[in-house]
Amino acid sequence: MKDVEKPPRSARPARTVKYYLVCFFSVMIAIMILMSGIVLASIQKVVTSQQENMSITSQMEQLQRAAKDHYAWVVALSNYIYEGQKFEGQLDATQCAFGQFLYQSDHADDPDFAAFLQTIEPLHNQLHDQAKEIITLQENGEAEQAKIIYQQTIAPVVTELVQLLDQK
């Protein structure tokens, strides 16, 4: 085999300053495009995270408002039993403010929050069921039995609900 001879250096076209500048700016543009992509991806992650946080904050605010309304409901029930004041609270667990919050479909987005609400649901229903029984007893002149049920069921359930809400 014959050695292939390289043409003399002078035979190759000389690289000009223009060539080096084009190469330099091409590399710089490629780096800028790559960095822009990385920055945009990072911004998108921040925006998504911020939207998730806003959703969680909104859910917690709604939960707090609904819980506050239910505390007022429990106080009104207590005033009905012990003070003879008229009870105008909602007896249907799905119609009170807390129930409406509990049963709306928006919670499917967050499985942890949905599981938490499933823990609360039976306690909430128990409150309403017991309130119906208490009102029936009170209306039938069995005030002492109504007070016993309130003390043995409503008060402990409210305490348990408060503890669960405090954990969240």
Side-chain angles (χ1 to χ4, degrees), residues 21-91:
L21 285 174
V22 167
C23 288
F24 173 77
F25 283 112
S26 296
V27 169
M28 292 304 291
I29 289 172
I31 290 172
M32 287 173 50
I33 290 171
L34 178 65
M35 294 302 292
S36 296
I38 291 170
V39 167
L40 287 175
S42 297
I43 290 171
Q44 184 59 40
K45 285 182 182 181
V46 168
V47 168
T48 301
S49 177
Q50 184 179 20
Q51 288 171 341
E52 290 171 359
N53 287 338
M54 288 173 54
S55 174
I56 290 168
T57 300
S58 174
Q59 285 179 334
M60 291 308 294
E61 287 173 354
Q62 289 175 349
L63 177 62
Q64 288 173 347
R65 278 193 303 275
K68 179 183 171 197
D69 289 346
H70 227 288
Y71 294 141
W73 181 91
V74 170
V75 168
L77 181 62
S78 175
N79 289 340
Y80 171 74
I81 297 166
Y82 293 101
E83 302 293 327
Q85 295 179 10
K86 185 176 180 179
F87 179 72
E88 295 179 352
Q90 181 59 251
L91 294 175

Side-chain angles (χ1 to χ4, degrees), residues 20 34 44 66 81 90 114 118 127-128 134 141-143:
Y20 288 110
L34 178 65
Q44 184 59 40
I81 297 166
Q90 181 59 251
Q118 286 178 347
L127 281 177
H128 284 272
I134 287 169
E142 299 179 52

Side-chain angles (χ1 to χ4, degrees), residues 129-142:
D129 292 342
Q130 294 301 313
K132 290 174 194 172
E133 186 176 348
I134 287 169
I135 288 173
T136 300
L137 288 168
Q138 194 83 358
E139 288 174 350
N140 292 334
E142 299 179 52

